[in-house]
Amino acid sequence: MASTVSVGAIVRVPLHGRRVRGWVVADDVASVIDGARLRPLITVSSAGPPAAVVSLCASVAYRCAGPVAALLRSASPPNNVRPDSVIDSARGAIVLRPIAPPRDDLELAADELAATALAAVGHRPAGDGPAGNGPAGDGPTGNGPTVLRWPPFADRRRLVARLLAASGSTIVVTADGSRAAAFQRWLAGQGTRAVLLHSDASPRARTDAWRIAKGGACVVVGGRSAVFAPVPDLACGVLLDDGDEALQEERSPTWHARDVLQERLGAVGAASFVVSPAPTAITLRRARAVFAPSETVERGAWPRVEVVDRRDDPPGTGLLTDRLVAGVQAAVAAGAPAVLVLNRRGGVRLLRCSQCHELTRWAADTGEVPRPKFCEHCGATRLVVLRGGVQRLATELQARIGDATVAVIDGAVALAPEASVLVGTEAVLHRVEVRRRHPSLVAFVDFDSELHAARYRAAEQALWLVVRAAHVLGGRARPGRRVVLQTHDPAHVVVRAAVLGTPQLVSDGELVTREAFGLPPFGALAEVRGDGEALQVAARALQSFAQTHVGVSVDEADQRLLVRADDDADLASALSIALEAGRVSGPLRVSVDPPRL
């Protein structure tokens, strides 16, 4: 087996009487175990990730304090691939037909934006483009990605195609499976050697794509696991929609595709791009340059946003305002479905003061804090609880719009029904069948629950919901498409950014706030959960570590530990020590930079 065993190979080994699957993570090493106790390999099962990807998995596992096997599994083909079946393709130029001249202002803007970004990084593209018009403004510089702000209604296929490397391989990462598949088909139609490596595809299709990618000289399009694609000649990486939470793994280790892709590209000196309608604060902080189309082009390709100001609503109005109902009826009359979104995560309630209209949070689910009896802003004693769920909303809406059908979409509904109005949580915006029906209205019934959510990323995530709504509305050019935001806080920066089509309003404020409080990207953050005794042992180990390392702190509350550090290296060291000590007493789980904290 010597000719087929190498770093990354998937093998079978004897372990306690069983044949266990494993990965070769190192070769030509001197064992500290007595040679008589070592057992031989049984067989080589499959080709696996290349050595560079194995090293990357080990680095990510350490930084995110999780098992390396989970990452190696993501980097491996779903089905076995014979090592001798992987044929090294003729590495060279990516075959791409000449891109046709631009037909409209958006295509011209895409060409100019791509040319500007490519000229800034000295990257050789797959096609020639016209000269650009310079950066969008002063931003952080460094060795990070080049960020291209591209509005949600504008087709981005032409822009991304311009960024592909002329030779070697390019990895394009997007969380949306249907959009990834559509982009891969479009590239293939342009003559590009492109494969789809997304979890939405079948295991057999992913295995075939993995085998082709291992040969190199191709474009790999896929979800977050595509960052581990086995291409041997990586020359460029493009991350789309960095604000999408699906780009972060929920299971341990909680790695983010943005960070892993950047680490891999940096190791080989490949070009790195991020294309997004609303780049996150972390991406912007690390960016070497930020570019955007002209203000006219960018604002014109954001959705029309209508704000329903609820500050003067009389008591008892409920969730459905007259303007919202009228908008739903207009959409139904036009023959296009309407989508109503209402999130009720957790037990935090919002109370509106009837005097000054300001909002007050109340953690009703804990039972430890009684309901506030007066407004913390003006002292008035009349506070109205803002509540209601999707089932109640659907019932009330059905009574007001007459014969039109209203359906509730939740996790138990396999396929969205052919109803005139769809009501659900934000998960309804991820349904492919909903997007294919081309809704003309997406309304956030209680946008305040997003704007004032008790998490530090609330503003960023609220704006991304507007982007997600734009993706649902997008597609063919249709008049009347709009997003409706019902809120008691119409002056909020997220609302203003959505109305004006200027996402930088949110990111600029986020960077200032996070720097003041030392939050990512100006610090590292992790949450540790586990059994009581194990958590206490881990807490003591972390406190001891913090005493000798400036910038590291640990707080214990609600059966969890919140660990903060000045940088990722100190955080990883602290977590490594805590887990080694705590797991002797019980299980522990670490979430690095959890999105809902």
Side-chain angles (χ1 to χ4, degrees):
M1 290 184 288
S3 61
T4 55
V5 174
S6 59
V7 173
I10 300 173
V11 297
R12 288 283 177 180
V13 296
L15 184 64
H16 299 295
R18 296 183 300 128
R19 296 162 61 97
V20 180
R21 185 174 187 253
W23 289 266
V24 177
V25 295
D27 197 5
D28 194 22
V29 296
S31 174
V32 297
I33 304 299
D34 182 12
R37 297 176 56 194
L38 294 178
R39 302 293 301 274
L41 300 180
I42 296 174
T43 185
V44 177
S45 301
S46 171
V53 174
V54 172
S55 177
L56 176 67
C57 290
S59 172
V60 174
Y62 174 73
R63 177 166 48 82
C64 295
V68 68
L71 296 164
L72 291 171
R73 194 173 297 113
S74 297
S76 302
N79 301 332
N80 287 344
V81 173
R82 289 174 46 195
D84 58 356
S85 70
V86 177
I87 302 175
D88 187 5
S89 65
R91 300 180 194 171
I94 295 293
V95 179
L96 184 68
R97 296 174 186 168
I99 299 177
R103 296 172 300 176
D104 52 35
D105 290 343
L106 275 176
E107 290 191 351
L108 177 60
D111 288 351
E112 292 179 344
L113 186 61
T116 302
L118 293 170
V121 300
H123 177 55
R124 191 160 62 95
D128 295 327
N133 57 0
D138 296 333
T141 58
N143 296 320
T146 298
V147 177
L148 289 78
R149 218 171 53 229
W150 189 245
F153 270 179
D155 190 337
R156 64 190 180 190
R157 293 177 300 180
R158 186 183 181 94
L159 173 61
V160 177
R162 289 284 191 187
L163 302 177
L164 302 178
S167 60
S169 295
T170 298
I171 295 176
V172 180
V173 180
T174 177
D176 192 317
S178 62
R179 301 186 85 189
F183 183 58
Q184 183 269 335
R185 289 193 299 269
W186 183 83
L187 284 177
Q190 299 294 313
T192 305
R193 189 184 300 109
V195 296
L196 179 66
L197 199 59
H198 200 284
S199 59
D200 287 357
S202 67
R204 180 177 179 178
R206 296 203 310 273
T207 301
D208 290 341
W210 190 93
R211 183 187 288 109
I212 295 172
K214 194 170 178 63
C218 66
V219 178
V220 179
V221 183
R224 60 175 178 267
S225 294
V227 299
F228 299 115
V231 292
D233 52 353
L234 183 60
C236 177
V238 184
L239 179 70
L240 306 179
D241 298 338
D242 65 316
D244 196 319
E245 292 181 18
L247 290 173
Q248 183 166 14
E249 175 62 72
E250 295 180 355
R251 298 165 296 184
S252 182
T254 57
W255 55 277
H256 197 291
R258 171 196 59 225
D259 305 327
V260 179
L261 182 61
Q262 185 58 41
E263 182 176 347
R264 186 177 181 186
L265 294 170
V268 296
S272 176
F273 300 97
V274 173
V275 179
S276 177
T280 63
I282 292 178
T283 295
L284 291 173
R285 173 63 181 174
R286 298 172 180 172
R288 60 184 297 170
V290 182
F291 300 95
S294 68
E295 184 177 302
T296 301
V297 170
E298 184 173 25
R299 290 190 176 187
W302 271 79
R304 171 188 169 193
V305 177
E306 295 181 2
V307 179
V308 178
D309 186 352
R310 304 205 59 191
R311 289 177 296 178
D312 295 324
D313 284 355
T317 300
L319 294 169
L320 294 173
T321 61
D322 292 339
R323 283 184 61 188
L324 176 59
V325 173
V328 171
Q329 291 173 331
V332 172
V339 178
L340 272 62
V341 181
L342 178 63
N343 274 335
R344 291 302 183 194
R345 296 182 175 179
V348 176
R349 299 288 185 266
L350 291 177
L351 294 88
R352 176 176 62 85
C353 175
S354 58
Q355 182 69 30
C356 69
H357 307 298
E358 292 290 342
L359 301 179
T360 299
R361 291 192 187 94
W362 170 37
D365 60 333
T366 64
E368 300 176 358
V369 181
R371 174 179 171 175
K373 296 183 179 179
F374 60 89
C375 175
E376 61 184 22
H377 302 280
C378 71
T381 58
R382 188 173 182 180
L383 300 177
V384 179
V385 179
L386 308 177
R387 69 173 86 191
V390 291
Q391 292 289 349
R392 176 181 171 184
L393 175 63
T395 301
E396 293 180 354
L397 183 61
Q398 184 69 77
R400 295 192 62 176
I401 64 174
D403 296 335
T405 55
V406 179
V408 175
I409 307 298
D410 56 25
V413 178
L415 187 66
E418 294 290 329
S420 301
V421 183
L422 302 175
V423 179
T425 64
E426 67 177 83
V428 71
L429 302 178
H430 296 259
R431 295 292 190 105
V432 177
E433 67 271 24
V434 173
R435 185 164 59 218
R436 287 174 179 169
R437 292 181 59 194
H438 303 299
S440 64
L441 171 70
V442 175
F444 294 93
V445 180
D446 182 15
F447 203 52
D448 294 329
S449 62
E450 306 301 327
L451 298 177
H452 298 278
R455 51 182 183 264
Y456 82 91
R457 290 184 181 177
E460 217 171 54
Q461 291 167 339
L463 182 61
W464 192 254
L465 285 178
V466 178
V467 173
R468 176 68 67 178
H471 289 165
V472 172
L473 296 173
R476 296 174 303 174
R478 301 183 309 279
R481 295 177 298 174
R482 63 192 186 281
V483 176
V484 175
L485 308 178
Q486 288 200 148
T487 176
H488 294 84
D489 193 0
H492 196 284
V493 63
V494 173
V495 178
R496 290 190 285 113
V499 171
L500 297 174
T502 53
Q504 62 270 30
L505 291 178
V506 175
S507 57
D508 290 348
E510 284 290 289
L511 288 169
V512 172
T513 301
R514 295 191 193 184
E515 184 176 18
F517 289 96
L519 294 169
F522 299 94
L525 187 66
E527 180 186 63
V528 183
R529 292 185 179 271
D531 294 342
E533 183 178 354
L535 204 63
Q536 292 299 321
V537 174
R540 289 193 292 269
L542 285 168
Q543 290 164 355
S544 177
F545 183 88
Q547 291 176 357
T548 58
H549 291 76
V550 178
V552 177
S553 64
V554 55
D555 297 305
E556 184 175 1
D558 300 328
Q559 301 298 312
R560 66 175 182 174
L561 302 176
L562 188 62
V563 188
R564 302 176 66 170
D566 286 344
D567 54 49
D568 293 335
D570 280 348
L571 180 66
S573 298
L575 293 175
S576 175
I577 293 172
L579 293 180
E580 183 179 0
R583 282 179 172 164
V584 176
S585 303
L588 292 170
R589 185 184 186 279
V590 175
S591 298
V592 174
D593 194 16
R596 293 282 164 175
L597 186 65

